[in-house]
Amino acid sequence: MTNQEIAGILYEIGAYLDMADVSFKPRAYEKAAEIISSLPDSLSDVYKKEGTSGIKKIPSVGASIAETIEELIKTGKSKYHKELKQKTPVDLSNLTRVEGLGPRKIKMLYHKLGIKNLKDLEFAAKKGKIGKLAGFGAKSETNILKGLEFLKKSGGRFLLSEVLPLAREIERRLNNIAGVKKVQIAGSVRRGKETIGDIDILIISNDADKVMEYFVKMPEVGRVLARGDTKSSVTLKKGLDVDVRVLSEKSYGSALAYFTGSKDHNVAMRQLAIKMGYKLSEYGLFKGQKQVAGKNEEEIYKILGLDYVEPELREMTGEIEVARKHQLPELIKYGDLRGDLQIQTNWSDGKNSIEEMALAAMKIGLEYIVITDHTKRLAMTNGLDARRIVQQGKEIDRVNQKLKIQNSKLVILKGSECDILKDGSMDLPDEVLKDLDVVGASVHSYFNLSEEEQTNRIQKAMRNPHVDILFHPTGRLINRREAYAVDVDAIIRTAKEAKTIMEIDAFPDRLDIKDEYIKRCVDGGVKMSIDSDAHDISHLSVLEFGIMQARRGWAGRGDIINAHPLREMLRYLKGRGGDK
Ligand code: DGT
Ligand code: CA
Ligand code: CA
Ligand code: ZN
C-alpha cells in the first residue's frame, strides 16, 4: 500500500467518526493522514525495516492509529474502517468524489437534509433545496449538479486535451522558480493516455520548499490535499488533482520511470530486475546495496537488456518482450505529418472559409490539406449535394491559384466527408466521387443497427472503389457515446482487401480508432491517416493528439499515409496506381 492510500483510509476513518459526532478522534486521524501523505519514505518500507516501532515514531501517530497502519500494510484492509463504514448511513466515499464536497459539507447535508448518497444529493440539488441552506447558496448548488454530471459521464476522468495544456502551463511556471533545474510531466499524461485521472509532475531543485510554497498557492488550486517538504498534492478548482514531487538527481531516472508507469509496466520491470539479480525501485536500480543505475531512464532499460521503451508504449501490450528482442518499431514523430485529410469549412458546419483553413494549415507547416465538407444527408450541417460540390471545386481552384502566385507550398485537395447511407451506399453518386481527390466515408446515422448489419453496411462503403478512407471508424465519443456495434477485426480485414485507409480521427473526444485497433492495423499491414477533423482554424492543433494515439498504437511513419509528401500520399489512394 502506498502512503497516499493509507492516508486516504485514515482520512475516511476520521470523517466517519466526525459524522458520528465523536469528539477529538476525528482530528487525530485527519492529522495523521496529513503527515503520512507528505512523508518522504514509504511506510511499507519503514515497517519492513523497523516494524511497529518505526511506525510509532511518526509524529501524530499514536498506538491505535499505528495498529491500523500496521494492519493496512499487512492485509491492505482495516477492520475498524470497515466497521465504521457499515455503521455510517452516509456513502462518504462516493459523495466525496463530487467536486467541492468534503466530509464537513457532507455531514451538514446529512444532518439538515438527510442526504445519504449520490441519488439523494441529485434529488435535493434539482429541487433547489441545497441552494437555500446556510453555507451553500445557489452557486454551490449549480456546482454540485455540474460535479454530478461530470462523475456520471466520465467516472471522474478528464480528456487528455483538457489536461495537457494545463499541465504544460504549470510545468512552465514551475520551471521559472529560482533553484529549479528540471520539471517533467510524468504519469498517464506523459504516456499520452486518452483520459487522465490526475497530473503527476517531477522536479529537480535545490530549494524544494520554494517549489512547494509556490505550488500549493497557484491560482488554480481549489484545495490542498497534502503539503510536504518534497511532495504535495492539490485539487484544482476544475476538479483535477495534481501531485508534485521534488527528487534528487541521482535517482531522477528511476523516479521518472516509476511515476510514468503504467503500474503494470512497472511491476513487470521490477520482476525482470529481480530475475536478473537486481532490485528496482523509484530510488534506483540496485545490486545489493550498490546503486548501478537510476540517474536516467535509458541506463535502467539498458542494464536490464532492453531497448529504450517510449512512454506511450508502457502499457504492457508486449513492449518488454519486444524490447528484449530489439524489435520495437520506430514510432511516428511529432512533426512528421505533412498533410491533413479531413477538414470542414463554412460550406457545411465549419466556421472558417477554405482560404482561412488553408492559411492556418500553412502556418503550422502542412504541405497539403483535403477539404471534406459533409454531404446532403446531414441536412443540419448544410451538407453538400452534387451541384455544390462542383461549385466548391471551383473555389478550391481559385484559392490554389492564389496560393501558387504567392509562392506558397500548400496545396488544397478536393474531397468529401460523404455519408454512408443505411444500406451502405454513398450519399453522393459515383460520377461525383470519382472526380474528387480524396473521399472519406462516415457513419452519422443508424448507430443502433445490429453488429452484423452495421459491419456489412460499413464494409460495403469501404469496397466502393471511390472511397479512400473510412473516417472515425467506430463512432465513439469519449465519456459521451459508446462506439456503435461493429466487428472491428472484420473492418480491418476489409481495409486490407479493398485498400481502404483507416482514419485516426485526432479530435480529442473521438481519437477514433483507438490505440489497440491502431496496433491491429499496424500488425495487419493496413495503412492509416491522422486527421484533425477541424471545424475551425484552432482545431488544427489537435493533430498532436492523433500522433500520440498513433504512437500508443505502435505506428511508425510508414503506417501513416499523410506522414509522406503529397505525391507519395496520393499513391496510397485507390485508383491512383502505385502498388495497386
Ligand atoms: P491516471 O492518473 O489514473 O490517469 O494514471 P497514472 O498512470 O498517471 O497513475 P497514478 O497517477 O495513480 O500514478 C502515477 C504512476 O505512479 C503510475 O503510472 C505508476 C506509478 N504507481 C502508482 N502506484 C503504483 C503502485 O502501487 N505500484 C507501482 N509499481 N507503481 C505505481
Ligand atoms: Ca496520474
Ligand atoms: Ca498521481
Ligand atoms: Zn462536421
Side-chain angles (χ1 to χ4, degrees), residues 344 348-349 374 381 417 533 535:
Q344 275 75 226
S348 64
D349 65 349
H374 291 288
T381 70
E417 177 172 10
D533 197 354
H535 283 66

Side-chain angles (χ1 to χ4, degrees), residues 157 186-189 191 196-201 241 243 259-260:
R157 295 185 69 82
S188 51
V189 180
R191 302 199 311 279
I196 303 297
D198 72 1
I199 301 179
D200 305 276
I201 297 178
D241 289 355
D243 295 341
F259 291 110
T260 296

Side-chain angles (χ1 to χ4, degrees), residues 86-303:
Q86 278 167 349
K87 268 203 280 191
T88 311
V90 175
D91 180 4
L92 198 71
S93 43
N94 274 314
L95 284 169
T96 47
R97 289 167 69 209
V98 178
E99 192 194 332
L101 273 194
R104 275 190 193 96
K105 282 194 172 171
I106 293 171
K107 187 179 171 187
M108 272 166 71
L109 289 171
Y110 174 61
H111 284 309
K112 300 245 169 74
L113 297 174
I115 291 172
K116 291 185 199 151
N117 51 40
L118 291 173
K119 257 209 183 105
D120 296 345
L121 181 71
E122 184 173 5
F123 189 76
K126 283 194 170 151
K127 284 245 154 134
K129 286 187 176 168
I130 294 173
K132 288 187 201 118
L133 278 187
F136 284 86
K139 198 165 162 228
S140 54
E141 185 168 85
T142 321
N143 283 339
I144 286 172
L145 283 168
K146 267 198 217 154
L148 280 166
E149 193 55 33
F150 179 72
L151 257 187
K152 266 192 212 160
K153 271 188 338 207
S154 61
R157 295 185 69 82
F158 289 75
L159 292 181
L160 178 62
S161 62
E162 299 173 284
V163 174
L164 192 61
L166 186 66
R168 283 178 178 158
E169 169 61 18
I170 294 173
E171 179 187 30
R172 189 187 64 76
R173 291 193 318 228
L174 292 172
N175 237 320
N176 285 339
I177 298 171
V180 168
K181 288 192 188 155
K182 198 173 172 76
V183 182
Q184 166 82 54
I185 299 170
S188 51
V189 180
R190 183 167 183 236
R191 302 199 311 279
K193 226 176 143 177
E194 59 194 37
T195 63
I196 303 297
D198 72 1
I199 301 179
D200 305 276
I201 297 178
L202 305 182
I203 296 175
I204 301 180
S205 169
N206 42 36
D207 189 348
D209 198 52
K210 212 174 206 157
V211 174
M212 294 303 149
E213 197 52 28
Y214 174 82
F215 175 67
V216 297
K217 293 198 173 131
M218 295 189 304
E220 295 88 350
V221 171
R223 190 154 64 115
V224 178
L225 302 171
R227 197 268 194 219
D229 295 337
T230 58
K231 185 157 120 166
S232 293
S233 301
V234 299
T235 303
L236 302 182
K237 286 177 188 146
K238 67 184 282 180
L240 175 71
D241 289 355
V242 188
D243 295 341
V244 159
R245 292 177 182 80
V246 176
L247 309 160
S248 77
E249 226 151 330
K250 76 176 195 329
S251 58
Y252 174 73
S254 44
L256 178 57
Y258 181 87
F259 291 110
T260 296
S262 66
K263 194 174 157 183
D264 292 345
H265 179 89
N266 288 351
V267 169
M269 288 288 287
R270 214 162 43 207
Q271 282 165 353
L272 176 63
I274 291 169
K275 232 167 79 188
M276 295 175 69
Y278 297 97
K279 184 174 172 283
L280 177 63
S281 72
E282 54 189 289
Y283 304 107
L285 182 65
F286 295 89
K287 187 121 213 174
Q289 295 299 316
K290 189 171 175 285
Q291 182 179 346
V292 293
K295 214 166 155 26
N296 59 57
E297 289 185 319
E298 285 80 359
E299 60 182 21
I300 298 170
Y301 283 100
K302 198 163 167 202
I303 293 180

Side-chain angles (χ1 to χ4, degrees), residues 445-516:
S445 58
Y446 301 104
F447 295 119
N448 293 327
L449 299 182
S450 71
E451 177 172 320
E452 195 187 352
E453 265 181 294
Q454 194 68 274
T455 306
N456 286 337
R457 171 194 188 198
I458 294 171
Q459 284 171 322
K460 183 173 167 192
M462 293 170 84
R463 291 190 179 114
N464 180 315
H466 305 296
V467 169
D468 299 296
I469 309 177
L470 179 62
F471 280 170
H472 45 73
T474 71
R476 67 143 175 193
L477 296 175
I478 302 172
N479 289 348
R480 285 199 285 141
R481 185 174 79 205
E482 294 287 328
Y484 35 75
V486 63
D487 181 344
V488 176
D489 288 315
I491 295 283
I492 293 174
R493 281 196 301 276
T494 306
K496 178 87 177 163
E497 281 159 36
K499 292 201 179 298
T500 314
I501 308 298
M502 295 284 280
E503 185 187 59
I504 302 169
D505 189 312
F507 214 78
D509 63 352
R510 287 196 182 270
L511 291 172
D512 184 7
I513 47 179
K514 63 178 172 181
D515 43 15
E516 57 174 290

Side-chain angles (χ1 to χ4, degrees), residues 354-364 369 403 406 410:
I354 294 171
E355 191 167 343
E356 285 163 347
M357 291 307 289
L359 292 176
M362 220 165 80
K363 242 195 205 148
I364 62 164
I369 57 171
L403 291 174
Q406 294 168 354
L410 187 95

